[in-house]
């Protein structure tokens, strides 16, 4: 399944400072659909190059990270249970505090 | 003889300059006080005039609240079909508080002052409600603020940001009421200050302030226009507006402190907070004038580097929210005792961290290090700052090994040591302020470099105590 992932607000620093990633993820064995839960695990092992604790806490993202599936807060689509479709755009953004 | 004469002459000139500057400051203070008195008298006159005209013809001259001066000053906005007299009239009657007179607050305040928020002549509105433009900040203007905090100028370096911002706003629009809060916003004063305004702009630079301001706005029912900027990115949202979510609905748990970077450490391109600050002014103007669709339930993400603006839909008000949810625990009483610094694990005022990880005998002062250099003692100096810091300025003969890659680069340090004095040379570690250098020395001790010591206070202490010409940033 082809997806576009974007990292922002400093999270890109965890994946070689690359903000936009076009990826191809296989469906997990014996699963018919890809969920955000699967994707997070995939991102953690394939894209995050350093300090994984700055991206995840437990099996979800750490506090202060917004997850947007097709420009929509994942709270509105079921968080970890959100089902992803081919060509979806998933954005991970760390909230900023500076001014 | 001649060079001495030159020194005397420049001393005389410096003295004269100082005395002229002092007189200028006194005169400015006097002018400001007189202007204040004059405004007070004029507004009272307006009030009386208005009261009597209201009695005589039961309404205003032109069928709306605007005076001829206002019509001329704000004419370009009055001409807008979607804004017009009604929008401007609503705007003039509103009070807005800008918290933080820095990179975000600077453009926000300039635009709000210019467009007439806090117009004194609008005093005649029912029951004499006073309209005002307020600003809160406890900080003073520094030279390294000026590239982004465009409301301040060189003449105000060392003086209060609020004093400077108020003077700039008054010079643009002398008809508005500007309230200066020269203090930090805290749980002890926030309710009292915020209650005097209709709309709040969060233009602060740290996590605890953001939670404090959001909670305060929820308790007092004030819409909050929240902006943030760092590096080359910015974020903007309107909270607690028309049943929309508050900041806590979105971020119930504070992020780890390591995820809260500051402009003073990570850098920021001046125009980036400028863009977000302008958008904050715009959203506040929309809310105040009841025009358009404020950015509530949505968030704007600005990426300057790729010239991308993304507007995303965020969750609605959370029923579980501790500030605005169904069983919210936050009351005015709880708010005043809530420890926001403890909650977010970071300080409200941005005093740099002063770690004390190492024992005294594992550290040397910058003066002691100067002696090491003067005596020519064999040693290796490791600078553990990120490479972009190292490129700005560094001590001679230092090797740059950023803290993040220190563990991988131990062999390089080993070979640097072996190349001098058969490996018996000293190892000194320096950074910007003396925190990362301690973390590095701890790591080096664990990896067998038992003689490693750090320089207390880092390059900042070197500049302060040893070489005054050494640049700081």
């Amino acid at each position: 399944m082809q997806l576009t992932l974007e990292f922002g607000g400093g999270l890109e620093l965890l994946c070689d400072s690359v903000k936009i990633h076009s990826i191809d993820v296989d469906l997990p064995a014996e699963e018919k659909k890809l969920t955000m839960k699967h994707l997070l695990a995939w991102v953690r092992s394939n894209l995050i190059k350093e300090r994984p604790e700055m991206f995840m806490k437990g099996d979800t993202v750490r506090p202060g990270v917004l997850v947007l599936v097709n420009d929509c807060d994942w709270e509105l689509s079921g968080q970890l249970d959100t089902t992803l479709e081919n060509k979806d755009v998933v954005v991970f953004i760390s909230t900023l505090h500076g001014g | 003889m001649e060079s001495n004469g030159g020194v005397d002459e420049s001393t005389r000139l410096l003295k004269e300059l100082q005395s002229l500057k002092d007189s200028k400051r006194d005169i400015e203070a006097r002018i400001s006080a007189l202007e204040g008195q004059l405004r007070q008298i004029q507004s009272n006159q307006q009030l009386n005039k208005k009261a009597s005209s209201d009695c005589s013809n039961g309404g205003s001259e032109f069928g709306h609240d605007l005076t001829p001066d206002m019509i001329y000053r704000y004419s370009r906005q009055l001409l807008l079909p979607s804004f017009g007299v009604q929008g401007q009239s609503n705007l003039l009657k509103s009070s807005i508080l800008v918290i933080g007179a820095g990179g975000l607050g600077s453009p926000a305040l300039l635009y709000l002052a210019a467009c007439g928020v806090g117009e004194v002549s609008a005093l005649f509105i029912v029951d004499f409600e006073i309209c005002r433009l307020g600003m809160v900040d406890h900080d003073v203007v520094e030279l390294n603020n000026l590239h982004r905090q465009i409301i301040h100028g060189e003449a105000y370096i060392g003086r209060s940001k609020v004093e400077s911002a108020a003077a700039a706003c008054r010079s643009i629009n002398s008809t508005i009421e500007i309230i200066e809060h020269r203090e930090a916003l805290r749980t002890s004063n926030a309710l009292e200050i915020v209650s005097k305004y209709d709309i709040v702009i969060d233009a602060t630079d740290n996590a605890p302030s953001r939670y404090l301001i959001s909670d305060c706005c929820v308790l007092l029912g004030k819409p909050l226009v929240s902006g943030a900027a760092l590096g080359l990115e910015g974020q903007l949202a309107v909270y607690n507006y028309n049943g929309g979510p508050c900041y806590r609905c979105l971020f119930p748990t504070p992020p780890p402190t390591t995820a809260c970077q500051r402009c003073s450490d990570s850098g920021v391109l001046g125009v980036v907070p400028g863009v977000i600050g302008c958008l904050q002014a715009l959203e506040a103007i929309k809310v105040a004038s009841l025009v358009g669709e404020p950015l509530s339930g949505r968030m704007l993400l600005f990426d300057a580097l790729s010239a991308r603006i993304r507007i995303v839909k965020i969750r609605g008000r959370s029923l579980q929210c501790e500030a605005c949810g169904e069983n919210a625990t936050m009351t005015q009483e709880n708010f005043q005792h809530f420890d926001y610094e403890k909650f977010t694990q970071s300080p409200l005022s941005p005093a740099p961290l002063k770690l004390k990880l190492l024992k005294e005998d594992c550290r040397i002062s910058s003066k002691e290090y100067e002696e090491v250099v003067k005596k020519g003692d064999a040693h290796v100096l490791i600078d553990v700052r990120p490479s972009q810091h190292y490129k700005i300025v560094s001590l001679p003969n230092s090797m740059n090994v950023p803290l993040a890659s220190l563990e991988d680069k131990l062999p390089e340090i080993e070979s640097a040591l072996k190349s001098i004095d058969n490996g018996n040379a000293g190892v000194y570690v320096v950074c910007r302020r003396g925190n990362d250098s301690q973390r590095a020395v701890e790591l080096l001790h664990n990896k067998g470099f038992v003689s490693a010591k750090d320089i207390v206070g880092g390059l900042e202490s070197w500049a302060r105590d040893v070489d005054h010409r050494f640049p700081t940033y």
Side-chain angles (χ1 to χ4, degrees):
Chain A
M1 183 180 292
Q2 291 183 344
L3 301 170
T4 303
L5 306 187
E6 288 192 36
F7 295 82
L11 290 179
E12 70 280 7
L13 299 174
L14 306 178
C15 25
D16 287 337
S17 296
V18 178
K19 281 191 168 166
I20 303 181
H21 301 253
S22 296
I23 60 158
D24 205 338
V25 193
D26 293 328
L27 282 180
E30 293 169 33
E31 296 276 352
K32 290 204 175 75
K33 52 185 189 181
L34 183 75
T35 64
M36 276 303 301
K37 191 173 178 168
H38 297 132
L39 181 67
L40 280 182
W42 187 92
V43 167
R44 181 171 179 155
S45 44
N46 291 278
L47 290 182
I48 303 294
K49 301 285 160 58
E50 54 177 285
R51 293 176 290 162
E53 73 282 3
M54 293 295 286
F55 181 63
M56 288 183 73
K57 189 175 180 189
D59 65 350
T60 189
V61 292
R62 69 152 167 86
V65 172
L66 279 182
V67 182
L68 307 155
V69 180
N70 300 325
D71 286 347
C72 212
D73 191 344
W74 76 338
E75 282 279 331
L76 302 168
S77 54
Q79 290 180 308
L80 288 168
D81 297 328
T82 308
T83 307
L84 295 167
E85 308 281 343
N86 200 30
K87 306 264 163 96
D88 274 353
V89 179
V90 183
V91 177
F92 300 99
I93 198 128
S94 177
T95 168
L96 303 177
H97 303 96
Chain B
M1 266 328 267
E2 191 160 338
S3 68
N4 259 343
V7 171
D8 287 349
E9 179 65 359
S10 59
T11 314
R12 190 185 65 75
L13 287 176
L14 278 172
K15 266 190 187 157
E16 192 172 343
L17 273 171
Q18 193 51 52
S19 114
L20 284 171
K21 278 181 186 166
D22 289 345
S23 328
K24 185 179 164 210
R25 188 176 298 187
D26 291 343
I27 292 172
E28 276 173 355
R30 183 86 190 117
I31 289 176
S32 174
L34 288 176
E35 280 175 345
Q37 284 177 21
L38 183 64
R39 266 196 307 276
Q40 198 58 49
I41 293 168
Q42 284 174 337
S43 63
N44 286 342
Q45 284 171 348
Q46 284 270 3
L47 205 67
N48 294 336
K49 211 163 82 190
K50 191 65 201 171
S52 62
S53 79
D54 277 356
C55 294
S56 59
N57 58 23
S60 74
E61 229 174 314
F62 314 107
H64 55 67
D65 306 327
L66 306 180
T67 63
D69 280 349
M70 292 177 187
I71 290 175
Y72 192 60
R73 182 188 280 263
Y74 306 116
S75 56
R76 299 307 185 261
Q77 296 187 166
L78 302 180
L79 290 169
L80 280 172
S82 53
F83 194 79
V85 169
Q86 192 56 56
Q88 185 66 46
S89 178
N90 292 340
L91 191 57
L92 297 176
K93 289 176 210 166
S94 60
S95 294
I96 301 183
L97 178 67
V98 179
I99 307 174
L104 299 164
S106 287
L109 280 164
L110 289 171
Y111 273 106
L112 293 175
C115 75
V117 169
E119 178 74 62
V120 173
S121 321
L123 264 175
F124 50 73
I125 316 308
V126 220
D127 64 33
F128 309 124
E129 198 178 318
I130 295 176
C131 313
R132 41 171 87 86
L133 175 59
M135 47 190 86
V136 189
D137 206 311
H138 69 286
D139 215 356
V140 295
V141 179
E142 291 176 58
L143 180 63
N144 63 12
N145 296 153
L146 301 189
H147 82 113
R148 67 186 189 284
Q149 304 184 9
I150 53 164
I151 202 166
H152 311 300
E154 289 178 2
Y156 278 90
I157 289 173
R159 290 160 75 180
S160 145
K161 282 189 181 174
V162 162
E163 178 192 2
S164 163
C169 290
R170 285 195 186 104
S171 73
I172 291 171
N173 194 343
S174 61
T175 68
I176 59 170
E177 175 82 356
I178 290 168
I179 308 289
E180 303 178 29
H181 302 279
R182 296 187 200 181
E183 54 194 319
L185 197 76
R186 304 200 168 276
T187 48
S188 53
N189 61 8
L191 290 166
E192 197 202 331
I193 293 176
V194 171
S195 64
K196 295 177 187 145
Y197 299 86
D198 306 316
I199 300 164
V200 176
I201 289 189
D202 182 348
T204 60
D205 62 357
N206 61 80
S209 294
R210 293 187 181 277
Y211 282 97
L212 187 159
I213 292 166
S214 177
D215 290 349
C216 185
C217 286
V218 168
L219 288 170
L220 297 170
K222 311 287 183 186
L224 170 62
V225 183
S226 181
L230 186 83
L232 291 147
E233 286 182 77
Q235 296 170 356
L236 173 79
V238 176
Y239 295 113
N240 197 42
Y241 176 74
N242 238 352
C246 77
Y247 187 75
R248 257 186 209 265
C249 294
L250 208 55
F251 304 110
T253 313
T257 47
T258 40
C260 298
Q261 297 166 308
R262 318 190 65 95
C263 294
S264 54
D265 294 326
S266 308
V268 61
L269 195 71
V271 68
V272 174
V275 169
I276 299 297
C278 285
L279 289 170
Q280 286 184 280
L282 175 60
E283 289 305 311
I285 289 168
K286 281 158 62 184
V287 172
S289 60
L290 304 171
V291 162
E293 243 183 283
L295 193 73
S296 169
R298 296 181 291 161
M299 181 181 274
L300 181 146
L301 309 169
F302 172 55
D303 180 357
L305 213 51
S306 60
R308 254 185 258 265
I309 291 179
R310 189 188 273 279
I311 292 168
V312 300
K313 188 171 169 19
I314 54 176
R315 68 202 72 171
R317 177 159 285 190
S318 161
L319 297 177
Q320 285 81 44
C321 179
E322 287 182 26
C324 71
E326 279 186 332
N327 302 308
T329 50
M330 189 60 71
T331 59
Q332 296 205 3
E333 176 72 16
N334 288 349
F335 172 79
Q336 281 170 303
H337 297 108
F338 196 91
D339 189 339
Y340 286 90
E341 296 187 324
K342 200 173 152 204
F343 175 61
T344 56
Q345 300 278 303
S346 38
L348 275 162
S349 49
L353 180 73
K354 274 204 172 146
L355 271 184
K356 248 194 154 172
L357 289 177
L358 300 177
K359 287 189 189 138
E360 289 304 315
D361 58 355
C362 302
R363 318 194 69 188
I364 65 169
S365 70
S366 53
K367 285 210 154 157
E368 287 166 327
Y369 177 70
E370 187 194 19
E371 287 305 310
V372 170
V373 176
K374 275 189 181 159
K375 281 192 279 179
D377 291 350
H379 73 280
V380 172
L381 177 64
I382 306 168
D383 187 327
V384 292
R385 293 173 300 153
S387 63
Q388 65 272 26
H389 289 234
Y390 190 78
K391 282 177 197 156
I392 299 173
V393 61
S394 63
L395 284 173
N397 303 319
S398 57
M399 62 187 283
N400 184 212
V401 185
L403 181 61
S405 56
L406 182 60
E407 202 162 348
D408 299 335
K409 298 281 176 65
L410 293 176
E412 280 178 38
I413 296 169
E414 188 96 41
S415 60
L417 271 171
K418 282 205 174 121
S419 69
I420 44 173
D421 205 27
N422 289 329
N424 292 323
V427 177
Y428 298 104
V429 181
V430 72
C431 65
R432 184 180 179 188
R433 300 192 180 106
N435 293 322
D436 275 354
S437 59
Q438 295 185 64
R439 297 184 174 108
V441 165
E442 264 196 339
L443 191 142
L444 288 170
H445 285 177
N446 290 337
K447 298 289 174 185
F449 297 85
V450 287
S451 69
K453 292 183 177 185
D454 92 309
I455 298 177
V456 178
L459 294 174
E460 284 191 353
S461 82
W462 179 267
R464 192 182 55 240
D465 301 333
V466 177
D467 180 1
H468 295 299
R469 288 168 312 158
F470 193 82
T472 51
Y473 55 93

